[in-house]
Amino acid sequence: MSRPQTYEQTLLNKAEQVLSHFSSDYEEKLLVLEACASMYGNFDIKDYWSAFGIITYKFEEVIKAGQDLYAEINATGIPPAMVISSLSREPISISEKKKQGAFYTDFRLAEFVADDCEIYIKKNCDLADIAAGTGILLVGVAERYYAKYPKNYDNWLSEHVYAFDLSSYALRGARAALAVHTSSVQTLIKMNENWEICDSLISDKLDDLTFDIVVGNPPWGKTKLSLHSFVNSNGANHVYGSEYEKFDETEFETHRINQIGYSKCLKEKYTLLGDSEPDMYMAFLQRAMASIKPGGHMAYIVPAGLIRSQGTETLRRYLIKDSNKLKYILLDNKARFFEIDSRFKFLIISHDKVNVKKKRCPEIILSICSTNGTQITYGNEIDFNVNDLEQFRPDLTIPECRTIQEKNLFFKICKNGRSWKDDWFANISREVDMTNNRSDFCSEKSEGDIPVIEGRMVQQFRFGAKAYKSGSGRSAKWIPTAGDELQPQFYMAKNKLSSQLQNRIEQCRVGYCDIAGQTNERAMMSAIIPPMVVCGNKVPTICFEGNNSDDYMYFWLGVTNSFVFDWLLRRVISTTVNYFLLFSMPMPDIDIESRLAKAIIEKSRKVSDMRADYYTGDRMEILRAEIDVLVSKAYGLDFSDLELLMMDFPLLDRAQTALNKEKRSSVTRDLMLSCAEKEYNKDEKTYTNRYKEEKKLKAKAYIPTEMADLCR
């Protein structure tokens, strides 16, 4: 299945067709792009090719194609230099892009980065990109420079613009793009003397260089070579979870050993990488920060994991220490910037380097952007005092809060919460691995076998929520079930488990689906895991050791399935609820023996014990709404807090009937806030009245959209 085009690709389709019609050869396309650039810059293309030792042929045809391209570029509405940069990119496959971490920069992002850098653009400022590619970020800043100092552009270009990249072809494209505003081939020759074809991470070419402005969108991805990426980079179409076809094991082992050596080199050179497997962007970020002059500026595009991952804490702390001003600008991929999942989030780091020794930067600014076609709009600038942040997020991960009200609510919940891992003796485990233990799985049950539980089988308060039907990997077919009969995809012989794990699975424990996301209907889904099943790695389980009562399990279940906990989790989650993230979420700071805790426990037991009547009666939704309100009280929230956090769940109730003239049902929100109106003694009964009307339409609350058919 082909991937959807990026927004930029759709705008450049006709220009790309001109190049493709002329030739399928990449180098011949570069000739056309260079000829087109000369038409904008008004320099002699023959002199240009001669100066850079470029062999040309079919001169008349190249010039004609350049003229055709010139017309198409003008029709795009995108700055010509950016179009030439974009069209110069080397044609590589999706799997190769993933392997290299090459997520090319969209022209809108280049303009946005240039906007961020504009106030730092001075007449003789040094500009650099140490992973330049075809130079679109350099082009963005150059466009601003040309508008500001047109008469000095040639001098600046020749003396102050630096580019570094592994690919000579990429830098050739960057050179053509930057040529758009100059008529001087000599300027381009001098500029080229400041450019290097090298691996910036291990080359010594940058060791003694510093710059006023550093921009970049470095490669993203681990240096570790996975079998999946290796197989796909050689033309296969392997899907996670499926069997591997034959592959060259010797070649794979050679590549793997080379990657191990490279990773070791990076970890020795870049001390901020920590103990985890090096990610390319982390090493490039450390290299870029070292390349900024005191008082200089950096605008860098990196994955959002920088502000939320455990392995990036050292980098976060260094950025704060190294900054005079630090802003994280958060975006997602819904506007099709990159050829990746639309839910993927990334950052633009706006960093002013300290120019004198001082204490760490006192605050961090977060702005969550919105996008509409070509326009990227800044969100509110939310200031996080570093000392306050560290009190509740000791690792300095940044919660994604769009407004001051959301930030205040986040800290209010944290302030009224408590750490729970050690106090509760929480023993968390991934019991078996769905890949590494695959050889021990079987599809037919034999005597002594136990079911293997997968992530999709766990929903809120529901164990065995889906039944396996057919297929494998991501193409496997599962159907919703009331959970009366467990139907797994795999079984495993109990005697294949370690003695410790055999003891573990003989008891009840809680488990949760660790695949999650901010844009999911619900982010956190946990349930009681019964004895004599074993959970795959996407269903971590927790035993509360040292507590004879199972109250801790049911209290934890009620809290983690609540809207309050879900809302809190959404502020810091990406796509996985890992151990590090889960244990950083506070539990309510109340005694497990208190009346409030006992009420949550009792109702959680009742909901967990329900079978098909979970979906068919009214009892479940009332119990769950009551649990939600009790949990909110345990966290010390008021009614307005609940109204605010319920705005964060737009995908609820899509299969339910909406009130007249409303686009979508809000029956779950209305029921929960109806219970809150009663619990908080509200005079107005707005939500109670809405819920009564929705019940007349047979709308049902707390039902996941994909499970709605079970209610009928």
Side-chain angles (χ1 to χ4, degrees):
M1 184 176 69
S2 62
R3 286 175 175 254
Q5 288 188 317
T6 66
Y7 179 76
E8 182 183 76
Q9 287 170 336
T10 61
L11 295 182
L12 299 183
N13 268 338
K14 289 186 177 180
E16 182 62 62
Q17 286 171 16
V18 170
L19 289 173
S20 299
H21 179 73
F22 175 75
S23 177
S24 60
D25 181 77
Y26 172 58
E27 192 159 2
E28 290 185 359
K29 290 180 180 180
L30 284 178
L31 291 175
V32 175
L33 289 162
E34 288 164 338
C36 186
S38 74
M39 296 170 194
Y40 284 104
N42 198 28
F43 56 85
D44 190 307
I45 189 59
K46 288 184 178 179
D47 289 346
Y48 178 90
W49 283 330
S50 175
F52 292 104
I54 297 170
I55 300 173
T56 58
Y57 41 90
K58 298 190 293 187
F59 179 77
E60 297 298 331
E61 291 94 327
V62 169
I63 298 302
K64 175 61 170 64
Q67 291 169 341
D68 294 341
L69 182 62
Y70 183 92
E72 290 299 342
I73 287 176
N74 289 338
T76 65
I78 304 172
M82 290 190 175
V83 177
I84 290 172
S85 173
S86 296
L87 295 176
S88 297
R89 293 166 184 158
E90 293 183 68
I92 59 176
S93 66
I94 292 294
S95 60
E96 192 63 22
K97 287 178 183 177
K98 282 187 172 181
K99 180 180 175 182
Q100 297 179 14
F103 299 103
Y104 295 134
T105 310
D106 176 285
F107 76 96
R108 295 165 294 175
L109 293 177
E111 291 184 323
F112 195 77
V113 165
D115 287 342
D116 180 69
C117 294
E118 187 156 12
I119 63 172
Y120 305 94
I121 297 173
K122 308 301 180 185
K123 200 166 188 177
N124 294 313
C125 63
D126 292 321
L127 168 68
D129 188 339
I130 62 173
T134 56
I136 196 166
L137 290 171
L138 295 174
V139 167
V141 178
E143 291 277 332
R144 298 295 190 279
Y145 187 96
Y146 184 77
K148 199 170 184 178
Y149 306 109
K151 293 181 179 179
N152 198 57
Y153 183 74
D154 280 10
N155 177 67
W156 177 74
L157 207 59
S158 64
E159 300 289 342
H160 300 284
V161 176
Y162 296 77
F164 306 85
D165 200 87
L166 274 171
S167 170
S168 60
Y169 282 120
L171 291 183
R172 183 175 163 184
R175 187 175 63 220
L178 285 165
V180 163
H181 291 304
T182 181
S183 60
S184 169
V185 173
Q186 193 61 36
T187 292
L188 299 173
I189 293 171
K190 289 189 69 178
M191 177 188 74
N192 202 66
E193 292 173 0
N194 288 329
W195 292 20
E196 290 286 346
I197 301 165
C198 64
D199 182 342
S200 302
L201 294 180
I202 58 177
S203 172
D204 59 3
K205 301 289 186 182
L206 281 82
D207 289 353
D208 298 320
L209 294 174
T210 54
F211 313 98
D212 297 293
I213 301 173
V214 176
V215 294
N217 175 18
W220 305 349
K222 302 289 187 183
T223 57
K224 181 179 180 180
L225 178 66
S226 71
L227 180 55
H228 173 81
S229 63
F230 172 78
V231 168
N232 281 349
S233 69
N234 283 285
N237 188 27
H238 178 258
V239 176
Y240 281 113
S242 61
E243 299 290 339
Y244 287 100
E245 300 293 334
K246 288 189 68 176
F247 63 92
D248 189 326
E249 294 185 21
T250 302
E251 184 183 0
F252 170 69
E253 186 62 16
T254 300
H255 280 273
R256 190 184 69 82
I257 291 171
N258 288 340
Q259 289 292 81
I260 290 172
Y262 187 68
S263 295
K264 183 179 179 181
C265 175
L266 293 187
K267 292 183 79 168
E268 290 173 353
K269 187 176 179 69
Y270 297 100
T271 56
L272 302 182
L273 293 181
D275 297 327
S276 58
E277 193 66 38
D279 194 303
M280 298 293 286
Y281 88 84
M282 294 169 64
F284 271 104
L285 180 54
Q286 183 174 345
R287 183 66 145 166
M289 286 190 288
S291 300
I292 311 168
K293 291 179 181 178
H297 182 71
M298 177 183 72
Y300 232 57
I301 303 174
V302 300
L306 177 70
I307 63 169
R308 55 166 73 117
S309 297
Q310 183 179 20
T312 52
E313 180 180 348
T314 306
L315 267 172
R316 284 193 294 274
R317 291 190 177 279
Y318 187 84
L319 269 165
I320 293 169
K321 178 183 176 182
D322 196 51
S323 294
N324 187 51
K325 181 180 180 182
L326 179 60
K327 181 192 295 185
Y328 294 124
I329 303 163
L330 182 67
L331 301 98
D332 61 35
N333 196 40
K334 290 190 181 72
R336 294 183 293 150
F337 296 112
F338 305 114
E339 292 177 279
I340 50 178
D341 194 307
S342 64
R343 296 169 296 178
F344 186 85
K345 293 195 173 185
F346 59 99
L347 299 170
I348 297 173
I349 307 170
S350 179
H351 159 75
D352 290 0
K353 189 179 182 75
V354 292
N355 51 13
V356 293
K357 288 187 177 181
K358 66 174 190 65
K359 294 182 180 179
R360 66 183 184 180
C361 185
E363 65 181 16
I364 303 166
I365 299 170
L366 175 70
S367 177
I368 302 177
C369 293
S370 60
T371 53
N372 181 18
T374 60
Q375 194 70 33
I376 303 174
T377 305
Y378 273 105
N380 298 314
E381 291 196 348
I382 309 301
D383 296 344
F384 289 91
N385 179 278
V386 173
N387 291 333
D388 291 344
L389 179 66
E390 196 168 27
Q391 181 182 353
F392 298 114
R393 305 295 297 171
D395 54 19
L396 293 172
T397 48
I398 314 294
E400 293 182 24
C401 300
R402 293 176 176 81
T403 64
I404 293 295
Q405 290 79 11
E406 285 190 357
K407 185 188 86 167
N408 292 340
L409 177 55
F410 182 89
F411 284 127
K412 182 177 183 178
I413 296 171
C414 291
K415 185 177 180 180
N416 294 333
R418 59 179 291 189
S419 177
W420 55 281
K421 178 182 182 292
D422 296 328
D423 291 351
W424 288 19
F425 303 99
N427 180 328
I428 192 166
S429 172
R430 297 189 189 278
E431 296 180 347
V432 294
D433 190 279
M434 297 301 293
T435 300
N436 296 337
N437 295 110
R438 184 67 176 270
S439 60
D440 294 327
F441 296 168
C442 53
S443 55
E444 299 293 332
K445 184 178 182 181
S446 301
E447 186 176 353
D449 288 352
I450 55 176
V452 177
I453 306 305
E454 301 181 50
R456 67 195 83 203
M457 301 169 73
V458 174
Q459 290 191 355
Q460 292 194 317
F461 292 102
R462 309 301 295 151
F463 171 77
K466 287 187 179 179
Y468 172 72
K469 284 299 178 185
S470 61
S472 65
R474 290 180 178 173
S475 60
K477 184 178 180 181
W478 296 74
I479 61 170
T481 174
D484 292 323
E485 184 177 347
L486 188 64
Q487 298 180 53
Q489 179 176 192
F490 300 114
Y491 296 88
M492 184 177 182
K494 184 183 176 184
N495 61 17
K496 294 278 188 180
L497 305 177
S498 67
S499 57
Q500 184 179 9
L501 188 51
Q502 288 188 44
N503 291 333
R504 184 183 184 88
I505 68 166
E506 289 178 356
Q507 60 184 313
C508 279
R509 59 262 193 225
V510 288
Y512 67 94
C513 177
D514 79 349
I515 303 171
Q518 295 169 326
T519 58
N520 290 7
E521 193 168 343
R522 296 299 297 268
M524 183 66 176
M525 295 187 289
S526 59
I528 296 292
I529 306 298
M532 302 315 296
V533 301
V534 67
C535 291
N537 54 291
K538 295 302 179 185
V539 186
T541 63
I542 303 175
C543 298
F544 298 107
E545 298 177 347
N547 297 298
N548 295 326
S549 168
D550 57 10
D551 284 355
Y552 283 90
M553 285 199 308
Y554 287 99
F555 182 74
W556 187 89
L557 206 63
V559 170
T560 55
N561 283 321
S562 72
F563 280 114
V564 179
F565 191 90
D566 206 317
W567 184 91
L568 194 69
L569 188 66
R570 285 168 186 258
R571 309 278 73 77
V572 296
I573 198 175
S574 52
T575 57
T576 304
V577 187
N578 56 43
Y579 299 177
F580 153 74
L581 186 61
L582 182 64
F583 286 129
S584 75
M585 296 289 98
M587 285 287 125
D589 190 11
I590 62 172
D591 193 312
I592 195 75
E593 299 295 332
S594 67
R595 180 179 297 179
L596 183 54
K598 289 294 187 184
I600 294 170
I601 292 164
E602 178 190 0
K603 294 176 189 296
S604 294
R605 286 182 191 276
K606 290 178 179 178
V607 176
S608 296
D609 289 343
M610 298 177 77
R611 306 312 298 166
D613 55 331
Y614 184 94
Y615 301 101
T616 55
D618 293 335
R619 184 163 163 260
M620 175 277 294
E621 61 186 53
I622 299 299
L623 283 170
R624 290 207 53 186
E626 290 173 347
I627 292 170
D628 270 315
V629 175
L630 291 172
V631 170
S632 72
K633 294 196 75 173
Y635 277 115
L637 305 190
D638 56 37
F639 188 82
S640 62
D641 294 330
L642 292 183
E643 288 186 301
L644 174 61
L645 67 84
M646 287 307 295
M647 295 170 64
D648 206 47
F649 299 89
L651 299 186
L652 296 174
D653 304 325
R654 286 169 292 163
Q656 305 304 321
T657 305
L659 292 176
N660 291 337
K661 298 182 180 180
E662 294 186 3
K663 292 183 179 180
R664 184 171 291 171
S665 174
S666 58
V667 62
T668 300
R669 179 204 68 179
D670 295 337
L671 171 57
M672 196 271 272
L673 292 177
S674 170
C675 288
E677 284 176 338
K678 180 180 178 181
E679 186 69 31
Y680 288 95
N681 299 313
K682 303 293 290 185
D683 293 330
E684 286 190 43
K685 303 296 181 184
T686 303
Y687 297 104
T688 300
N689 294 333
R690 285 179 59 84
Y691 177 65
K692 288 178 180 177
E693 292 301 311
E694 286 159 335
K695 290 308 291 179
K696 292 177 183 178
L697 298 173
K698 300 190 183 304
K700 190 167 179 60
Y702 287 92
I703 299 296
T705 300
E706 61 181 339
M707 312 298 280
D709 285 345
L710 296 176
C711 301
R712 302 189 178 101

